[in-house]
Amino acid sequence: MGSFMKNIVILISGSGSNMAAIVQAAQREHWSERLGVRVAAVISNQPDAAGLKQAHGVATQAVDHKAFATREAFDAALQHAIDAYAPTLVVLAGFMRILTPAFVRHYEGRLINIHPSLLPAFTGLNTHQRALDAGCKVAGATVHRVTSELDHGEILAQAVVPVLAGDTAATLAARVLTQEHIIYPQVIASLLQAGVT
Ligand code: GAR
């Protein structure tokens, strides 16, 4: 089975809780046996990312963006590291770098991201504080395909949570994150099941 196994590569920058949720769903739901797919590697642009220590036995690697003079040079090195696994799907999970158009084009159709807002609202950073400042009554997260326009691309799934009285950006982020951990593995499993990638 090994040589026919499809690979997923997950890119992280921080705590890696979405990555851990995906790795655990793959184990719990027997993706190798059922879908012929495994999480082959977790790669971070931050060598000290906490998530690198939470990869549940998956191979980890750091490609430190600070070691490269240009965004193009970093993306080329990252692409080289990823392509060693010939992945069917590349999953951005709290990966906090803007990717070059060449990189995005290389992975067209097999690159997805999770963003902590109900896109197209609140692209970019500080999404939870901005949702609170705007007086939103609901917030959430979006799984989408990655195109060279930041936080655009086909929406694959969304989860909605209420904004509650007294919420801070931190309490809202935590409520949204629990839903991210549910929808991201679901989207990945259904993409692979459908043979979309
Ligand atoms: C998640 O909330 C994710 O949606 C967000 O960063 C967090 C990473 O948490 N991603 C972005 O803001 C992408 N622009 P995690 O490292 O624990 O998965």
Side-chain angles (χ1 to χ4, degrees), residues 43-81:
I43 301 176
S44 175
N45 65 302
Q46 299 275 9
D48 56 358
L52 289 175
K53 298 190 188 71
Q54 311 285 334
H56 298 271
V58 173
T60 61
Q61 195 178 333
V63 181
D64 186 351
H65 67 273
K66 292 186 214 73
F68 298 89
T70 64
R71 198 178 284 285
E72 286 72 20
F74 167 68
D75 276 13
L78 181 63
Q79 184 174 315
H80 187 72

Side-chain angles (χ1 to χ4, degrees), residues 10 12 15-27 51 54-56 93:
I10 304 180
I12 67 168
S15 56
S17 70
N18 277 289
M19 174 275 295
I22 295 161
V23 170
Q24 287 174 305
Q27 291 169 354
Q54 311 285 334
H56 298 271

Side-chain angles (χ1 to χ4, degrees), residues 12 14-15 17-18 31 69 75 89 102 129 134 137 147 169 172 190 195:
I12 67 168
S15 56
S17 70
N18 277 289
W31 289 4
D75 276 13
L89 195 62
Q129 189 59 52
K137 301 302 181 196
T147 61
L172 182 55
S190 61

Side-chain angles (χ1 to χ4, degrees), residues 20-188:
I22 295 161
V23 170
Q24 287 174 305
Q27 291 169 354
R28 192 176 59 240
E29 298 168 6
H30 307 286
W31 289 4
S32 309
E33 294 83 353
R34 286 186 34 246
L35 301 172
V37 67
R38 63 173 186 149
V39 180
V42 175
I43 301 176
S44 175
N45 65 302
Q46 299 275 9
D48 56 358
L52 289 175
K53 298 190 188 71
Q54 311 285 334
H56 298 271
V58 173
T60 61
Q61 195 178 333
V63 181
D64 186 351
H65 67 273
K66 292 186 214 73
F68 298 89
T70 64
R71 198 178 284 285
E72 286 72 20
F74 167 68
D75 276 13
L78 181 63
Q79 184 174 315
H80 187 72
I82 296 168
D83 284 350
Y85 297 95
T88 290
L89 195 62
V90 177
V91 173
L92 307 180
F95 185 71
M96 303 304 280
R97 300 286 304 171
I98 291 176
L99 296 162
T100 57
F103 181 98
V104 172
R105 217 176 306 119
H106 180 73
Y107 295 106
E108 192 179 349
R110 53 187 175 129
L111 183 60
I112 62 174
N113 181 46
I114 192 160
H115 182 76
S117 78
L118 295 171
L119 291 174
F122 308 124
T123 61
L125 299 175
N126 302 318
T127 53
H128 303 299
Q129 189 59 52
R130 288 159 64 207
L132 292 175
D133 292 347
C136 294
K137 301 302 181 196
V138 295
T142 302
V143 180
H144 64 98
R145 290 189 186 279
V146 175
T147 61
S148 47
E149 200 182 346
L150 183 69
D151 299 330
H152 284 66
E154 181 193 351
I155 292 173
L156 298 171
Q158 292 184 306
V160 181
V161 303
V163 175
L164 301 178
D167 260 344
T168 62
T171 60
L172 182 55
R175 191 174 309 119
V176 170
L177 197 59
T178 61
Q179 298 305 308
E180 295 186 36
H181 298 163
I182 296 168
I183 63 171
Y184 214 1
Q186 282 177 348
V187 166
I188 293 167

